[in-house]
Amino acid sequence: MKKVKALFSKLVLLVATINICFGGLSIFTSVHADAPAFDMDARAVYAIDAQSGQVLYQKNATKQYPIASVIKILTLGVIEQDIRNHHLKWDQKIKITPAVAKMADDWHFSNVPLKNGEEYTVRQLVDSMMLVSADGSTEALALADAGSTAAFNKKMQAFAKEAGVTDAKIYNMIGLPNGDLGKHKLKGVDKDAENLLSAKDVALISKYLVEQYPETLEITKQKFANFNVTKDQQYLMTNVNALLPQNGFAPKTGEIDGLKTGNTDRAGKCIVSTGMFSGRRIILVALHTKGEWNDQSKMQQDFYNKLTDEYQPVEVKKVSDLSPKLTQVKVANGKDKNKVKLTLSQKTAVWLPKNLKLEATSPSLKIAKNYRENDHQLRAPLKKNQNVGSIELHIPGLPNFDVPVSVSQTVTKKSIF
């Protein structure tokens, strides 16, 4: 009997040990699944799939910071918009003033040489602004377009608002501290004031720019371009983006075709890159990255490589692709119907870990406040194709992603009489 009790005690101990081990493994798996897939050494980061809006990584993404020459993305947006509106032309010549020539000749800044009294086309100045971050060229463009820094700032703010950014603090088109603009600085503004935007702001502006003005990428993907300083002097510009194809930090899959770097003492080293990966446009913003320029480029290269190594976009065509249980939802106060079918507001794609199926993301319905009777029930009246909320996906390693959904038919409200 003692032997049986001893054997039973050993079995209980063994089962308990197994449970502890598996319990520990379960805890470890849960923590691992919830941990971000990416860890980027920067003050703020925001990475998105530009077509779906899916956030792939974020870190301090909504806090505003100085962004240095990254602001030239917004400057370019205004210039391209005004070219499309026939306010400027690509081949229009801009005459260089003494103040702009002085800016372009200052070794403290990024530049190509601009000669006082010489004329350069808008296209020449834009190329130099985006390839080598030429500050003098940027100033020449903005002043020719709007007449003053303050007037151009208003255009920048309007463009940012079109992109969905309403609270950016914009002081100039270049990205330098206000005082560095000399004659063209803003009056009544601290000399140390710099543009302040969040990583998310920069991503939204970049997204809007490449969607509305795809010709932008024909500029930013150039690796080299000649700049004719005078008839007898030519300057070969080399794009500072080290992630472009065939460059040392080009990702192994996909192809980078933009966008912009920047650096000031306060902003640190900043970078916005974009390219096509698995048929999807990705935008990656990193502000105040740690280390040297090569460290910054390597960090972005690692992001793209890991994204395509471990994740893939999965197409979503209908609600049942996410969850058959969510194809219909109950409706309160409906006149003739107590249920309605849900449809995707638009087809999309979702980045998932490879070999993970959509239904494994624990899809859950989030009903918008205006149409919610409770967490599981809509409230009439409802109009066909009306967006009533979203289906939230829980994706290991990535932030949750909301897929917008609409109702497939009109549901009138039940009369109280």
Side-chain angles (χ1 to χ4, degrees):
M1 188 65 178
K2 288 181 180 180
K3 288 183 179 180
V4 173
K5 287 183 178 180
L7 180 60
F8 179 78
S9 298
K10 288 180 180 180
L11 286 171
V12 169
L13 179 62
L14 179 61
V15 170
T17 303
I18 290 171
N19 283 338
I20 290 170
C21 289
F22 276 98
L25 181 59
S26 175
I27 292 169
F28 175 81
T29 303
S30 175
V31 170
H32 179 74
D34 293 339
F38 308 98
D39 182 16
M40 304 187 71
D41 198 5
R43 181 184 285 169
V45 186
Y46 197 67
I48 58 169
D49 178 307
Q51 290 141 286
S52 68
Q54 182 182 4
V55 179
L56 304 172
Y57 180 70
Q58 55 187 339
K59 177 181 179 181
N60 295 330
T62 58
K63 188 172 180 179
Q64 292 182 330
Y65 295 107
I67 64 167
S69 285
V70 164
I71 198 66
K72 289 167 182 165
I73 294 170
L74 182 52
T75 301
L76 178 60
V78 174
I79 297 300
E80 296 217 58
Q81 187 176 66
D82 281 349
I83 288 172
R84 188 171 292 181
N85 293 336
H86 307 293
H87 178 66
L88 290 174
K89 295 180 180 179
W90 284 114
D91 60 357
Q92 179 179 331
K93 291 186 177 180
I94 295 175
K95 190 173 183 178
I96 301 304
T97 65
V100 170
K102 182 179 179 181
M103 164 69 75
D105 196 42
D106 193 323
W107 65 269
H108 293 92
F109 309 136
S110 300
N111 272 309
V112 295
L114 299 178
K115 302 297 183 182
N116 179 35
E118 285 283 345
E119 294 183 334
Y120 305 93
T121 66
V122 169
R123 180 57 191 251
Q124 283 180 287
L125 296 172
V126 165
D127 280 350
S128 61
M129 176 176 73
M130 298 307 292
L131 269 66
V132 295
S133 203
D135 294 336
S137 298
T138 307
E139 188 172 56
L141 285 164
L143 295 176
D145 180 83
S148 70
T149 300
F152 194 79
N153 285 354
K154 289 181 180 178
K155 289 192 171 192
M156 295 171 75
Q157 289 161 354
F159 190 95
K161 188 175 181 180
E162 291 174 20
V165 177
T166 58
D167 59 350
K169 295 177 176 61
I170 297 172
Y171 299 106
N172 64 70
M173 60 301 222
I174 298 174
L176 294 170
N178 181 49
D180 286 350
L181 271 69
K183 177 182 176 180
H184 297 299
K185 68 183 179 182
L186 293 181
K187 293 178 175 59
V189 175
D190 190 279
K191 65 182 179 64
D192 295 323
E194 291 190 41
N195 302 310
L196 297 175
L197 287 85
S198 70
K200 182 177 180 180
D201 291 340
V202 174
L204 290 175
I205 292 168
S206 301
K207 178 179 182 293
Y208 185 77
L209 177 65
V210 298
E211 286 177 350
Q212 299 298 317
Y213 304 93
E215 58 268 30
T216 294
L217 300 172
E218 295 300 315
I219 298 166
T220 59
K221 74 180 184 182
Q222 297 178 95
K223 294 182 72 173
F224 306 100
N226 286 319
F227 188 93
N228 294 318
V229 181
T230 65
K231 290 181 180 179
D232 303 319
Q233 183 183 357
Q234 193 175 76
Y235 182 90
L236 177 62
M237 299 184 296
T238 302
N239 197 323
V240 297
N241 188 345
L243 284 88
L244 291 173
Q246 286 82 53
N247 282 356
F249 295 100
K252 64 183 180 182
T253 59
E255 189 168 294
I256 297 294
D257 49 17
L259 203 52
K260 190 73 189 71
T261 61
N263 182 37
T264 65
D265 290 343
R266 284 185 61 205
K269 297 176 181 65
C270 303
I271 184 170
V272 183
S273 64
T274 185
M276 298 298 293
F277 293 85
S278 301
R280 311 290 298 177
R281 176 157 296 282
I282 306 300
I283 296 173
L284 173 58
V285 179
L287 305 180
H288 207 303
T289 62
K290 309 303 180 189
E292 302 303 321
W293 288 109
N294 283 351
D295 298 321
Q296 180 190 71
S297 299
K298 180 67 166 59
M299 181 180 69
Q300 292 236 330
Q301 180 191 46
D302 289 345
F303 171 89
Y304 290 115
N305 287 343
K306 184 171 185 180
L307 177 67
T308 51
D309 280 347
E310 299 183 11
Y311 292 81
Q312 64 182 359
V314 177
E315 194 172 3
V316 184
K317 296 180 179 179
K318 52 188 184 298
V319 170
S320 59
D321 292 339
L322 301 173
S323 171
K325 295 179 181 178
L326 298 177
T327 56
Q328 283 193 112
V329 63
K330 291 181 179 179
V331 180
N333 302 322
K335 180 180 179 181
D336 301 314
K337 303 178 181 69
N338 59 9
K339 286 185 179 181
V340 67
K341 289 184 179 180
L342 293 179
T343 61
L344 298 180
S345 297
Q346 61 182 31
K347 293 179 181 179
T348 189
V350 181
W351 286 87
L352 297 178
K354 290 183 176 178
N355 301 320
L356 185 77
K357 295 183 178 180
L358 284 165
E359 55 266 30
T361 61
S362 304
S364 58
L365 180 62
K366 292 168 59 178
I367 300 173
K369 185 178 181 180
N370 292 347
Y371 311 108
R372 184 174 65 224
E373 178 71 15
N374 56 52
D375 289 346
H376 307 288
Q377 197 172 26
L378 290 163
R379 181 176 64 245
L382 300 168
K383 190 175 180 180
K384 183 178 179 180
N385 297 327
Q386 194 167 50
N387 190 308
V388 294
S390 60
I391 295 175
E392 184 178 45
L393 308 182
H394 304 266
I395 305 167
L398 303 185
N400 293 345
F401 180 48
D402 289 343
V403 180
V405 290
S406 307
V407 289
S408 63
Q409 54 195 140
T410 295
V411 181
T412 55
K413 187 177 181 179
K414 185 187 297 182
S415 173
I416 60 174
F417 300 106

